[in-house]
Amino acid sequence: MGDLKMPKPYLYFAAPLFSQAEKEFNCHVRDLLSPYFDVFLPQEDGALIVDLLRAGLTPDTAKRYVFKNDIDAIKRADVLLIILDGRSIDEGASFELGFAYAKGKNCIGLQTDARRLLPIGNNPMIDEAVERIFSTVGELLHWAREYAEGTERKSPISIHPTGA
């Protein structure tokens, strides 16, 4: 009997996906994470509103389709990775983080950009929702390898503070 291979954990990639640079960065990081995770990258595995509109869907139908598709993917995810680069965090990715957190998903961030909206760092609603924020892709990949091997896996987080 051959080795039974465990399925890879499922990762939802929450990030801005509007400029060519953003899309290319997302694909690059997804490719690096792929040995460790089945990665859902909305720009490729979901649908973009501009493409749905070009295909003839109404704006309301396109918005509902994107929303439902991404919510379903977050529900299936073991981990949500949010890209935190930029002066402020992408509002769609912020919502996805909040939804994943409320569902008890493991949430992590990647912030390679030193800019922060607040002098004390990110908005506390972001910083408190993520378990860890990595400052380099290399740090993220080190964690990903350990997570996939099971040495870094945690049970889903509790949304209740200690003692509550």
Side-chain angles (χ1 to χ4, degrees), residues 4 76 95 100 103 137:
L4 291 178
R76 290 190 310 271
F95 171 84
K103 289 291 193 182
V137 173

Side-chain angles (χ1 to χ4, degrees), residues 4-5 7-8 19 28 46-47 50 52 55 73 86 89 108 130 141 144 146:
L4 291 178
K5 219 171 184 181
K8 291 191 264 185
S19 72
H28 173 69
V50 292
L52 296 173
I89 299 159
I108 57 169
V130 293
L141 293 178
E146 289 181 351

Side-chain angles (χ1 to χ4, degrees), residues 13-19 22-23 26 43 83-85 89-90 93:
F13 197 111
L17 45 68
F18 300 99
S19 72
E22 290 166 341
K23 290 177 185 175
N26 297 347
Q43 71 194 48
I83 303 301
L84 300 167
D85 288 344
I89 299 159
D90 179 78

Side-chain angles (χ1 to χ4, degrees), residues 1-6:
M1 188 187 264
D3 290 335
L4 291 178
K5 219 171 184 181
M6 295 295 294

Side-chain angles (χ1 to χ4, degrees), residues 127-150:
D127 279 350
E128 292 301 312
V130 293
E131 297 167 34
R132 293 176 72 175
I133 297 176
F134 302 99
S135 59
T136 68
V137 173
E139 290 173 359
L140 172 65
L141 293 178
H142 177 78
W143 173 88
R145 183 174 34 262
E146 289 181 351
Y147 186 94
E149 291 171 354

Side-chain angles (χ1 to χ4, degrees), residues 116-124 127:
R116 302 295 187 271
L117 185 59
L118 301 173
I120 60 167
N122 295 318
N123 183 305
D127 279 350

Side-chain angles (χ1 to χ4, degrees), residues 36-58:
Y36 313 111
F37 292 95
D38 284 327
V39 179
F40 181 91
L41 183 61
Q43 71 194 48
E44 292 188 355
D45 302 315
L48 299 178
I49 287 184
V50 292
D51 295 334
L52 296 173
L53 295 174
R54 202 174 297 123
L57 272 67
T58 67

